[in-house]
Amino acid sequence: MKVQLLDLKAQFKGIRSEVLSAIEGVCEDQGFILGQRVADLEADVANYLGCKYAIGVASGSDALLLSLMALDLQPGDEVITVPFTFFSTAGVVSRLQATPVFVDIQADTFNIDPEQIEQKITSRTKAIIPVHLFGQCADMTKILDVANRHGVKVIEDACQAIGAGQNGQKAGTFGYTGCFSFFPSKNLGGVGDGGLIATNDETLRELLLALRVHGSRSDYHHDHIGINSRLDALEASVLLVKLQHLQGWNEKRAKNAAYYETLFADAGLLERVTLPHTVPGNVHVFNQYTIRAQKRDQLMGYLKEQDIGHKVYYPVPLHLQECYQPLGYQKGDLPVSEQMAADVLSLPIYPELPESHMEMVVGAIKDFYGKH
Ligand SMILES: *Cc1c(COP(=O)(O)O)cnc(C)c1O
């Protein structure tokens, strides 16, 4: 591929010896489950985020699932979230036999429209899961206000937003819990699956520590019905290395986004594409650089011909997914989400992306619109 959407090998090159010696250390110790490295990572991430506690778990999806389990979500309970997100945001609600209730998003941020939350709250609403999509925080002031007025908990899906901020506070530290993913393509990616829950509540921390090991606080004594969802020592050892680079990598992503802005403006393309909008007060960490493009599908065909990496996150909003037909949503029910699914296109933005590649991306898009 001429221009890759994501090149993890470029990142590995810069930290190769640190990562390999971290992995070697775990192999020498032969301690693979939880242990000191996981505890160290939890402390370092909590410190980085500016919250009291962090609990390592097996994935971002499990971080969401365990947060809902800690709430003692019951079948028939409702959880408000968005349809324009990765599947697991709503999938975890359904796994607990509760019902996801979808609220539409704002076109400029792709995040939940806080003004539409209140009308969806019922006596069965237990939580709101805002998603900080693509690396930018949803409007936490308004979301917390409506949640607090109704006694509903907020679980932040910050899987794409580690290091993102709003009014000086980091994503994942506003709510009841903040959920993070270490899936390799995230801004802080491991060498496999991994996740983490952030919280400021000590009782909740104790409960989550138990829930991730089958609900037991001491060996073979089970106070709760939990699951097996631990972070591996191997993951933690690599993440400890990578965490030290996260701030720099996030800044590189933002720098790349700024360069795209210059390139798109200079190419005279601002009538054809809508670039990402960062709300004042937000620090955007650009897990994805997602534009809206006229004739999106034709443009994708052209980029494919030109061997330029790109992807649509997400092509089908969750309320229109096959598995959610039983919820009874129709096309047109959540019009902004549906429009975004038709318009969005994510372009390469990873920290090591060469400027020449961004120039090729924008050059190809300019060629396309010159002909269409
Ligand atoms: C990646 C992601 C998840 C799930 O994380 P996993 O670690 O893959 O389970 C959940 N929500 C969003 C928005 C994500 O991007």
Side-chain angles (χ1 to χ4, degrees), residues 204-325:
L204 176 58
R205 170 185 183 252
E206 298 290 321
L207 178 57
L208 289 167
L209 288 175
L211 288 175
R212 76 173 174 184
V213 286
H214 307 286
S216 77
R217 287 173 204 265
S218 64
D219 280 355
Y220 312 117
H221 293 75
H222 299 266
D223 304 333
H224 309 277
I225 299 172
I227 58 176
N228 172 0
S229 183
R230 298 173 292 231
L231 186 65
D232 291 341
L234 212 54
E235 288 302 328
S237 73
V238 173
L239 291 165
L240 278 165
V241 169
K242 287 195 169 194
L243 181 60
Q244 297 173 13
H245 299 274
L246 178 63
Q247 192 64 29
W249 288 336
N250 281 347
E251 282 163 15
K252 279 286 301 185
R253 287 173 181 270
K255 195 165 160 246
N256 291 345
Y259 191 50
Y260 267 133
E261 267 189 41
T262 309
L263 291 172
F264 276 111
D266 290 353
L269 289 171
L270 299 182
E271 304 281 297
R272 300 302 202 120
V273 300
T274 307
L275 304 183
H277 169 65
T278 304
V279 174
N282 278 356
V283 175
H284 196 321
V285 293
F286 293 99
N287 179 243
Q288 299 296 341
Y289 186 82
T290 303
I291 66 170
R292 297 173 57 193
Q294 289 174 11
K295 302 186 181 170
R296 195 266 321 261
D297 291 343
Q298 269 177 280
L299 171 60
M300 280 188 6
Y302 185 74
L303 293 178
K304 188 159 182 237
E305 265 174 40
Q306 299 298 311
D307 211 19
I308 287 178
H310 59 274
K311 198 153 178 167
V312 173
Y313 301 102
Y314 296 92
V316 183
L318 300 187
H319 68 289
L320 299 179
Q321 294 283 350
E322 186 67 35
C323 67
Y324 279 138
Q325 288 316 293

Side-chain angles (χ1 to χ4, degrees), residues 40-243:
D40 288 348
L41 180 74
E42 291 168 342
D44 284 7
V45 172
N47 183 48
Y48 173 74
L49 295 175
C51 66
K52 285 195 185 144
Y53 309 108
I55 299 101
V57 297
S59 68
S61 302
D62 274 6
L64 292 162
L65 179 69
L66 286 160
S67 297
L68 293 173
M69 288 172 69
L71 269 183
D72 199 22
L73 203 69
Q74 295 298 313
D77 284 346
E78 295 171 2
V79 175
I80 289 174
T81 191
V82 284
F84 193 65
T85 178
F86 179 63
F87 178 74
S88 70
T89 313
V92 291
V93 176
S94 307
R95 265 190 68 174
L96 296 172
Q97 286 155 25
T99 307
V101 173
F102 295 116
V103 165
D104 213 350
I105 58 169
Q106 295 174 315
D108 57 348
T109 61
F110 309 115
N111 282 331
I112 195 165
D113 181 350
E115 310 297 342
Q116 295 191 45
I117 294 174
E118 194 147 28
Q119 68 211 53
K120 300 280 179 85
I121 291 181
T122 73
S123 59
R124 303 232 54 177
T125 308
K126 289 292 169 341
I128 303 168
I129 309 181
V131 181
H132 305 316
L133 204 70
F134 303 143
Q136 172 165 230
C137 286
D139 186 337
M140 293 310 295
T141 307
K142 288 187 179 164
I143 294 165
L144 289 168
D145 174 63
V146 65
N148 290 339
R149 277 191 285 113
H150 291 272
V152 167
K153 294 282 197 278
V154 175
I155 294 168
E156 297 174 69
D157 183 340
C159 286
Q160 299 183 4
I162 191 160
Q166 186 161 86
N167 304 324
Q169 192 175 340
K170 285 221 160 67
T173 66
F174 293 87
Y176 176 71
T177 66
C179 301
F180 295 91
S181 167
F182 301 128
F183 187 82
S185 67
K186 303 296 160 89
N187 287 27
L188 180 61
V191 285
D193 278 308
L196 179 139
I197 305 170
T199 181
N200 284 310
D201 181 327
E202 189 178 357
T203 314
L204 176 58
R205 170 185 183 252
E206 298 290 321
L207 178 57
L208 289 167
L209 288 175
L211 288 175
R212 76 173 174 184
V213 286
H214 307 286
S216 77
R217 287 173 204 265
S218 64
D219 280 355
Y220 312 117
H221 293 75
H222 299 266
D223 304 333
H224 309 277
I225 299 172
I227 58 176
N228 172 0
S229 183
R230 298 173 292 231
L231 186 65
D232 291 341
L234 212 54
E235 288 302 328
S237 73
V238 173
L239 291 165
L240 278 165
V241 169
K242 287 195 169 194
L243 181 60

